[in-house]
Amino acid sequence: MTKAEVLAYFGSVANVAKTLGITTQAVYEWGDSVPEPRQWQLQVLTDGVLKVSSKRGGQGKSSTQTLKKNVKVGQKAKSDKTGDADKVTKGI
């Protein structure tokens, strides 16, 4: 996704910055292309109107798989901690 596409959607740098909770200077520093982490954030915030465009050629899918893997790992870790707390509480 390009910065021009983002500006066309939001109308101004100030609106983009406010939506993302960052400074206008940070938006100005993007150059022509939006940093990939911000692209993901903007894709979610615009319900898919703005779409992530990975310049890494085919690795966009890999990034999505990594994100899903991290979420699963995070959820497992959370449940493991709960399980450990239950063991301590129950005296096991």
Side-chain angles (χ1 to χ4, degrees):
M1 122 187 8
T2 66
K3 185 167 140 183
E5 292 170 328
V6 174
L7 292 175
Y9 182 88
F10 287 99
S12 71
V13 170
N15 289 341
V16 174
K18 183 177 179 181
T19 299
L20 295 174
I22 60 176
T23 64
T24 55
Q25 184 60 35
V27 177
Y28 284 117
E29 291 176 7
W30 287 352
D32 293 333
S33 182
V34 178
E36 191 172 353
R38 292 294 182 195
Q39 288 187 37
W40 287 104
Q41 187 178 15
L42 288 164
Q43 180 172 306
V44 171
L45 291 171
T46 63
D47 291 323
V49 174
L50 297 174
K51 302 234 184 260
V52 173
S53 62
S54 178
K55 290 187 176 182
R56 293 184 272 169
Q59 290 188 5
K61 183 176 180 182
S62 176
S63 297
T64 302
Q65 289 171 343
T66 301
L67 179 62
K68 288 179 181 177
K69 181 179 176 185
N70 289 341
V71 169
K72 288 179 183 175
V73 170
Q75 289 173 343
K76 183 177 180 185
K78 183 177 178 182
S79 66
D80 287 348
K81 288 179 183 176
T82 303
D84 290 343
D86 289 343
K87 288 177 186 176
V88 172
T89 305
K90 294 178 183 175
I92 298 175

